[in-house]
Amino acid sequence: MKILNLKSILFISFVLIFLNNNNFFKKFYLVLTQDYSYRFSKAYIANYFSGYCEKEGHGYIHAIKEKYNINTSPKIINFDNKRRKIPYWIFYNKFSKIDDQQVILLNYNKKNNFDFDKFLIVDNKSNKCFYLIRKNNGTN
Amino acid sequence: MELISILLQLTVFVLFFSIGFPINKAQVNNLNNRSKFLEQLIFNIFIQLNLLLVLSFFNISIKLIFSIYLSYLLISLVYLIKINSIKSFFIFKNKLLYYFAYSLCLVIFIDIAYSLTLEWDSQKFWIYKTLNFYNDGTIQSLNNLPPGDGANYPYLGSLLWSLFWKFSFIPDEYSGRLLYGFLYIISLLAITEKLNTSIVYKMIFLVVFVSLSYQYRYFGGDQDILIFILIAFLSVVTHDIYKASTKKVSNLQIILLILICNSLIWTKPEGTVYAFIMISIISLFFKIEFIKKFYLFSSVSLLFILQILLYKYYGLNVGINPCCWTDFSVNSIISKISIERILVISQYFFYSLFKSPFFILGLICLISSIFVKNLIKNFFYIYFFIIINFSFIFTAYILSDLNLVFMLKNGIDRLFYGSSPIYLLIFVEYYNSQKFKN
């Protein structure tokens, strides 16, 4: 009986340590109370290679997808000085399926060369990230 | 609501992988025995993974693959009902350990649902393979993926990811990755079951093994976790064969080994290397019938050839990753072998090795076992695996053409992680040799 108690105490201790190390209760609560989009943005804001409207811009791209209910990936241009991956996968399309009538700009600044006249600005985040739709008479 | 969907997803995994044709008739009424149930569960897992893989060879979309898969499950279920053994499959007497393992799955699932980010390799290669299948693409349409490194990698992990994402209760991509969490826990459970100890200690060891090896980054879509899972299962089956080598090794064990090796071949290129290392060791050193060694070696070799033929047939390139290994001329190889490169590799090699908790655990048990009579001989085949594995890792880095430090920084940890479950076998052997009070 004594051994059984010792075993049980050991077992419960290890389980509690594991749950605590993984912040299980906090994560459980947040999965219960926050929706996927919010968690997605938060996760990528905390990510070293990404952020909301910086680096790879996962947060902004996902927010645009949700806000405008976009199913096909717009063309994404990242003006960051560093070479960045373009996360087209956020739209859950095949790699080859890109709608170039719509454009998402990331990390834009005035020194960058981009012709806004051909596009309608649908969304603007701090003059740095944009969601644009090509005007009907616009050309490539 | 999402939590309920996660729970339902776990239920689906448990139900699907519990269903399968009984591995032998004598065992049908014996599934209340915990270890027999585990044997059946592992067998079901590998039959189903290989079934899904083989169906993909016919260039069909996952909708059709899933329909055939469901039909298989349904036929198995009807058969189980017919032979009156359905109760043994689903009523788990004496299966507290399984309930505990499923609870651990839930903890991992919550972490995946919370953390969500995809790793670097995953965002570059694996997710696009997954999206190819998710959007009704086939093996042939993998050709549309961007060329370059990784585009032609094997795809078992992505196929599973897409299938369990497309047909799940959760619309987001992480639902497919929950399968990795489920298989991860079951693979560690399989190793834990080899310990000769009480159920409570097994549960303690299971939670310790998970604590030592679980990190979210391995579940961020990279395929190293699948290598880890397959190496864990491979270790368990190999261990059983080694233990049974004086007796008769069953055909079932050989079939299971072949199925695991095939899964390795279709997961990552290093999976193929691990599969051949293990079957070479079994063929050379294990005391099993020659004909079984022959079947094993020739089957795995044929499966590897089949992979090459299928890749050629569908216009995919099965070559070595062009990002990192391009020049294999004698002059180039000689120029790459330098003291400086060897020292750099050694530095990262040992640093990464000693960051692996399973390696440290195995090493401690190995040193302790020197004082236990005859025990060290039991690890004979494990030494070979480790030595060949280390040589493979060293050779792969010395022959690389990309920036060596960059490659080592980003890859060597994951390589060690993938093969680390084998070190747990040293712990299992050592533990079983000691007479601990249970």
Side-chain angles (χ1 to χ4, degrees):
Chain A
M1 192 65 193
K2 203 178 170 185
I3 293 169
L4 185 74
N5 286 338
L6 177 70
K7 276 198 256 185
S8 308
I9 292 165
L10 258 178
F11 171 67
I12 292 166
S13 310
F14 275 109
V15 171
L16 286 176
I17 290 168
F18 171 66
L19 294 179
N20 184 52
N21 282 350
N22 279 290
N23 278 327
F24 172 73
F25 299 107
K26 180 188 161 195
K27 288 172 183 173
F28 182 88
Y29 174 74
L30 293 176
V31 171
L32 188 71
T33 54
Q34 296 175 344
D35 69 357
Y36 173 81
S37 296
Y38 185 78
R39 294 199 316 271
F40 182 94
S41 291
K42 234 173 79 176
Y44 276 99
I45 286 168
N47 186 278
Y48 178 77
F49 294 102
S50 195
Y52 186 82
C53 176
E54 56 184 328
K55 297 178 184 171
E56 291 174 359
H58 289 78
Y60 183 72
I61 298 169
H62 190 265
I64 292 295
K65 178 194 166 190
E66 292 295 305
K67 190 173 173 185
Y68 298 100
N69 202 16
I70 303 170
N71 292 318
T72 307
S73 171
K75 186 173 180 179
I76 301 170
I77 303 169
N78 194 334
F79 288 103
D80 198 12
N81 292 330
K82 273 195 166 180
R83 200 172 136 238
R84 300 281 182 197
K85 289 191 300 298
I86 306 287
Y88 283 115
W89 61 266
I90 290 174
F91 294 90
Y92 296 165
N93 299 135
K94 279 187 185 178
F95 185 81
S96 50
K97 203 173 172 186
I98 292 169
D99 178 4
D100 55 14
Q101 294 303 304
Q102 307 174 66
V103 177
I104 290 176
L105 302 183
L106 300 169
N107 300 307
Y108 173 83
N109 67 54
K110 284 182 178 170
K111 289 176 194 162
N112 298 124
N113 186 17
F114 186 82
D115 187 0
F116 278 92
D117 293 342
K118 291 174 185 168
F119 294 89
L120 193 71
I121 299 174
V122 182
D123 193 273
N124 176 355
K125 173 79 182 168
S126 317
N127 285 329
K128 193 177 171 190
C129 296
F130 297 88
Y131 170 48
L132 313 169
I133 293 182
R134 195 179 288 275
K135 289 174 185 168
N136 281 339
N137 57 350
T139 52
N140 254 339
Chain B
M1 186 59 200
E2 199 173 339
L3 269 178
I4 294 168
S5 302
I6 291 171
L7 204 60
L8 283 173
Q9 193 79 359
L10 175 63
T11 314
V12 165
F13 293 147
V14 174
L15 286 179
F16 278 21
F17 292 116
S18 298
I19 297 170
F21 288 97
I23 48 182
N24 69 57
K25 283 192 178 172
Q27 200 167 293
V28 168
N29 297 316
N30 204 15
L31 287 171
N32 282 331
N33 177 312
R34 212 176 55 234
S35 64
K36 297 288 178 203
F37 180 81
L38 183 69
E39 273 178 32
Q40 180 72 50
L41 186 68
I42 296 175
F43 194 73
N44 292 346
I45 287 172
F46 283 98
I47 286 284
Q48 290 179 30
L49 296 193
N50 279 274
L51 173 71
L52 293 169
L53 185 62
V54 169
L55 288 172
S56 75
F57 297 163
F58 295 98
N59 205 29
I60 53 178
S61 71
I62 57 165
K63 272 185 190 163
L64 190 53
I65 291 176
F66 192 67
S67 309
I68 299 169
Y69 175 53
L70 275 187
S71 310
Y72 163 79
L73 292 176
L74 207 64
I75 292 165
S76 310
L77 194 64
V78 169
Y79 180 76
L80 290 175
I81 293 167
K82 200 182 160 200
I83 60 168
N84 212 13
S85 74
I86 194 76
K87 273 188 187 172
S88 333
F89 273 82
F90 292 115
I91 298 174
F92 302 159
K93 275 185 200 167
N94 191 23
K95 292 193 180 77
L96 182 64
L97 187 58
Y98 289 85
Y99 291 125
F100 179 63
Y102 298 148
S103 312
L104 284 180
C105 287
L106 209 58
V107 176
I108 304 292
F109 287 8
I110 296 290
D111 195 40
I112 294 172
Y114 170 80
S115 302
L116 290 175
T117 51
L118 293 184
E119 290 299 305
W120 200 91
D121 271 12
S122 176
Q123 288 197 60
K124 194 157 166 62
F125 319 124
W126 304 111
I127 185 70
Y128 291 110
K129 279 180 185 292
T130 305
L131 285 171
N132 170 66
F133 292 114
Y134 180 78
N135 290 299
D136 295 328
T138 61
I139 179 171
Q140 191 162 31
S141 57
L142 286 173
N143 275 307
N144 301 330
L145 295 179
D149 46 4
N152 295 314
Y153 269 15
Y155 62 77
L156 175 63
S158 291
L159 180 73
L160 299 173
W161 181 356
S162 62
L163 193 119
F164 286 97
W165 168 19
K166 185 122 184 163
F167 304 100
S168 81
F169 301 96
I170 306 159
D172 304 300
E173 62 75 26
Y174 80 85
S175 58
R177 289 188 280 130
L178 299 181
L179 178 72
Y180 300 164
F182 177 78
L183 295 176
Y184 162 75
I185 295 291
I186 299 297
S187 69
L188 288 177
L189 176 72
I191 293 181
T192 311
E193 270 288 36
K194 295 293 151 201
L195 292 165
N196 294 334
T197 188
S198 69
I199 190 162
V200 180
Y201 277 119
K202 282 185 183 180
M203 290 199 291
I204 292 173
F205 281 120
L206 180 60
V207 82
V208 169
F209 293 161
V210 174
S211 302
L212 291 177
S213 59
Y214 179 75
Q215 284 181 48
Y216 172 75
R217 68 186 176 118
Y218 293 116
F219 290 79
D222 286 357
Q223 302 296 291
D224 305 279
I225 188 62
L226 216 53
I227 294 286
F228 177 99
I229 292 161
L230 295 170
I231 292 289
F233 283 122
L234 188 70
S235 304
V236 169
V237 179
T238 311
H239 181 76
D240 284 348
I241 292 175
Y242 184 75
K243 287 279 165 188
S245 61
T246 46
K247 298 177 221 163
K248 218 179 173 188
V249 173
S250 71
N251 289 333
L252 187 83
Q253 287 171 314
I254 301 295
I255 292 169
L256 195 52
L257 211 52
I258 293 167
L259 293 175
I260 296 172
C261 286
N262 192 39
S263 309
L264 272 168
I265 288 171
W266 284 91
T267 299
K268 275 190 95 179
E270 59 261 37
T272 308
V273 177
Y274 293 141
F276 276 99
I277 292 175
M278 198 52 107
I279 60 159
S280 303
I281 288 170
I282 292 171
S283 303
L284 289 172
F285 300 112
F286 281 32
K287 291 173 196 162
I288 56 176
E289 292 165 74
F290 174 77
I291 190 75
K292 282 180 178 155
K293 287 181 181 178
F294 174 76
Y295 282 140
L296 179 64
F297 202 89
S298 52
S299 304
V300 177
S301 304
L302 283 174
L303 287 168
F304 179 55
I305 293 167
L306 177 72
Q307 185 197 36
I308 296 170
L309 293 177
L310 275 167
Y311 263 57
K312 280 202 180 293
Y313 180 75
Y314 288 115
L316 296 158
N317 179 9
V318 79
I320 298 170
N321 196 340
C323 81
C324 320
W325 293 273
T326 47
D327 191 353
F328 285 102
S329 64
V330 178
N331 283 344
S332 163
I333 290 171
I334 291 169
S335 71
K336 285 176 208 163
I337 302 171
S338 67
I339 298 288
E340 194 194 345
R341 279 171 75 88
I342 291 170
L343 284 175
V344 171
I345 297 170
S346 306
Q347 185 189 336
Y348 281 92
F349 185 93
F350 288 108
Y351 180 65
S352 297
L353 196 58
F354 283 95
K355 271 200 312 190
S356 163
F358 285 177
F359 175 76
I360 293 169
L361 187 65
L363 191 67
I364 292 167
C365 293
L366 192 71
I367 293 166
S368 310
S369 67
I370 294 168
F371 308 105
V372 182
K373 201 180 170 188
N374 288 335
L375 181 62
I376 208 146
K377 284 182 200 162
N378 286 357
F379 308 146
F380 195 56
Y381 75 96
I382 306 175
Y383 303 149
F384 272 95
F385 185 91
I386 294 170
I387 290 166
I388 302 170
N389 182 25
F390 286 179
S391 313
F392 156 66
I393 293 173
F394 222 90
T395 312
Y397 280 105
I398 207 122
L399 295 181
S400 74
D401 293 294
L402 202 68
N403 181 311
L404 186 62
V405 173
F406 175 80
M407 276 190 73
L408 285 161
K409 267 186 185 169
N410 293 298
I412 198 161
D413 277 358
R414 289 183 288 138
L415 267 177
F416 278 123
Y417 182 79
S419 58
S420 63
I422 193 141
Y423 308 128
L424 281 182
L425 284 187
I426 302 174
F427 172 75
V428 168
E429 279 290 326
Y430 180 74
Y431 186 89
N432 289 346
S433 72
Q434 304 297 306
K435 285 176 182 151
F436 293 112
K437 279 186 179 178
N438 292 324

